[in-house]
Amino acid sequence: MMQNKPVVGITMGDAAGVGPEIILKSLAHKELYEISKPIVIGDSKMLERAKSFVNSHLAIQVIAVDDLEHLSFQFGTVYCLDLDLLPADLTIGEVSAEAGHAAYEYLATAIELAKDHKIDAICTAPLNKEALQKGGHPYPGHTEILADLTNTADFSMMLSAPNLKVIHVTTHVGIIDAVNMIHPERVYHVIKLAHDTLQKAGNHSPKIAVCGINPHAGENGLFGYGEEEEKVIPGVLKAQSEGMNVVGPLPADTLFFRAVRGDFDIVVAMYHDQGHSPVKVLGLDTGVNITVGLPIIRTSVDHGTAFDIAGKGIADEKSLIEAMRQAVELAPKK
């Protein structure tokens, strides 16, 4: 059992989705209490309702609390910092302004607790973008709320799967736009984000590998138009000059195999599919989304609210369990 276990705030997300049930299912795994002190931030009545449609053998007691003092965090007991925002008869599986507003408030509360060092990391269950906006909060999703409420201008997406972490230079843009957006300073900055994130988690000299843009990382000009030399290598050299343990650009077709094998702690991908595809191949149910560059640690499931199966008790908790593990791994060490 770990000493000085981090306190992880689990935000309920959109309570009309699968959030409450995957939280209960996850906290029925004793391992999470062995590595962390979990506290749910949401509505306790939504957890109580979820107990009625998850497996009946889960011997879980939900306890509503109004602060984080003097909690024992014993397996079998789920503490919920109860904001009491939703009606007991909230319709499951439908977009709701009430649930969207509540999801925002759960996250805003968790952010304040993290900023005040009352929790060590945030792990988020999914929210619904349409409900969020109907609830009066015009954000695309969790990441933008986190950035806004922590006054963070520069951040990046990191994906994590068993034995592989990937951080992206560009994400949700077309391939031509992605290549145009890659430049040495951005490459350097993402390398530094990766380095600083893993260093804060206790890895004093993380091994970082950087993907090329072209097949075979350009192979000395045989492929492409010198993008590696112009856009990537100067950023890598700058990071190396500051003492970071980074290599590249390397061919992506073999780099991810080497990273999974253990040669590297994290891979810097140049564009969305270059980084996402290997993570998805390793398992959709164990992928975790991590926002780096924030002053606080935040991990998330890599799936949505799944309104179509909400309330049926069949939602899979594996991604949330992995997100909790990653929150513990990345939380500042005491």
Side-chain angles (χ1 to χ4, degrees):
M1 184 175 295
M2 295 176 60
Q3 300 299 317
N4 297 319
K5 294 180 289 188
V7 180
V8 180
I10 308 171
T11 58
M12 190 175 286
D14 193 308
V18 297
E21 57 196 275
I22 62 172
I23 289 172
L24 281 182
K25 285 184 170 184
S26 296
L27 295 181
H29 292 256
K30 191 173 184 180
E31 171 207 347
L32 295 186
Y33 286 82
E34 293 173 344
I35 64 173
S36 70
K37 298 176 181 178
I39 176 80
V40 182
I41 301 166
D43 270 56
S44 63
K45 67 178 79 70
M46 297 295 107
L47 292 176
E48 289 287 0
R49 182 170 69 168
K51 285 173 64 175
S52 67
F53 47 76
V54 300
N55 294 337
S56 59
H57 71 271
L58 300 184
I60 290 176
Q61 179 185 16
V62 176
I63 299 179
V65 299
D66 54 16
D67 62 52
L68 276 60
E69 300 296 323
H70 311 300
L71 305 182
S72 62
F73 297 103
Q74 295 297 313
F75 176 62
T77 297
V78 173
Y79 290 115
C80 178
L81 185 64
D82 193 359
L83 302 195
D84 193 22
L85 296 172
L86 294 173
D89 61 351
L90 177 74
T91 303
I92 298 174
E94 291 185 8
V95 172
S96 157
E98 288 176 303
H101 171 67
Y104 172 86
E105 292 294 338
Y106 303 153
L107 181 60
T109 299
I111 291 169
E112 288 306 307
L113 290 171
K115 288 163 67 175
D116 292 341
H117 305 291
K118 294 181 178 178
I119 62 176
D120 300 300
I122 299 172
C123 182
T124 58
L127 53 71
N128 179 277
K129 295 177 177 62
E130 183 182 353
L132 183 67
Q133 299 198 20
K134 282 189 173 182
H137 305 285
Y139 294 94
H142 275 115
T143 301
E144 291 76 16
I145 299 172
L146 284 150
D148 189 20
L149 297 187
T150 60
N151 297 311
T152 302
D154 210 343
F155 50 89
S156 185
M157 174 190 295
M158 183 166 81
L159 297 180
S160 180
N163 304 317
L164 179 64
K165 286 183 172 62
V166 182
I167 190 169
H168 293 71
V169 174
T170 68
T171 48
H172 294 107
V173 294
I175 188 66
I176 294 174
D177 292 331
V179 174
N180 288 333
M181 290 171 64
I182 297 167
H183 57 83
E185 193 59 30
R186 174 63 180 168
V187 170
Y188 160 77
H189 185 71
V190 173
I191 294 169
K192 191 173 190 316
L193 281 175
H195 176 270
D196 291 351
T197 299
L198 297 187
Q199 195 172 65
K200 287 176 184 176
N203 186 336
H204 297 296
S205 183
K207 296 174 289 186
I208 305 168
V210 178
C211 288
I213 299 171
N214 294 296
H216 303 282
E219 201 161 314
N220 298 316
L222 289 177
F223 301 100
Y225 298 92
E227 288 85 359
E228 280 74 19
E229 289 75 10
E230 175 190 347
K231 295 171 174 286
V232 181
I233 291 175
V236 173
L237 291 175
K238 182 176 180 181
Q240 289 174 340
S241 73
E242 295 181 5
M244 295 181 220
N245 186 3
V246 56
V247 296
L250 300 175
D253 58 357
T254 54
L255 173 50
F256 287 99
F257 168 79
R258 293 180 60 192
V260 171
R261 186 176 65 185
D263 293 3
F264 306 107
D265 296 310
I266 190 167
V267 175
V268 177
M270 291 295 117
Y271 52 89
H272 183 281
D273 283 14
Q274 187 182 62
H276 278 62
S277 298
V279 173
K280 303 290 186 183
V281 166
L282 289 174
L284 285 168
D285 57 353
T286 55
V288 177
N289 187 330
I290 303 164
T291 309
V292 298
L294 301 173
I296 57 181
I297 297 299
R298 177 260 176 164
T299 68
S300 177
V301 296
D302 197 25
H303 61 73
T305 48
F307 281 163
D308 56 324
I309 62 169
K312 298 180 180 178
I314 60 174
D316 195 316
E317 71 272 26
K318 290 190 185 73
S319 184
L320 184 58
I321 292 172
E322 188 60 31
M324 285 288 291
R325 290 176 182 143
Q326 293 296 322
V328 170
E329 180 180 331
L330 294 170
K333 301 301 178 280
K334 298 179 182 178

